[in-house]
Amino acid sequence: MTVLVTGGAGYIGSHMVWELLDTGDNVVVLDRLSTGFEWAVAPEAKLVVGGGPPPRRGAGDLSEHQTLAK
């Protein structure tokens, strides 16, 4: 199953991502990185970042329908 985790670059969200990956799920993380960190996201997860200049792995915001289509 593919799971969307909002806030997945923060403390709680990043731990949730690791747990989901351990159970075999595919994980997409959507985070603005205002308090989270890109390095906190497991490399196996797809990171989509909203706000500011786009980082290496994507750009988007939950309010943007195009982002959710990715």
Side-chain angles (χ1 to χ4, degrees), residues 10-40:
Y11 180 77
I12 295 171
S14 63
H15 284 81
M16 176 60 71
V17 169
W18 283 108
E19 291 296 321
L20 290 166
L21 289 169
D22 285 346
T23 63
D25 291 317
N26 294 316
V27 180
V28 177
V29 173
L30 181 62
D31 201 298
R32 295 184 63 82
L33 297 180
S34 59
T35 58
F37 301 94
E38 185 175 352
W39 55 260

Side-chain angles (χ1 to χ4, degrees), residues 7 13 18 36 45 52 56-57 64-65 68:
W18 283 108
R56 293 188 305 268
R57 296 199 280 179
E64 299 168 355
H65 296 285
L68 296 176

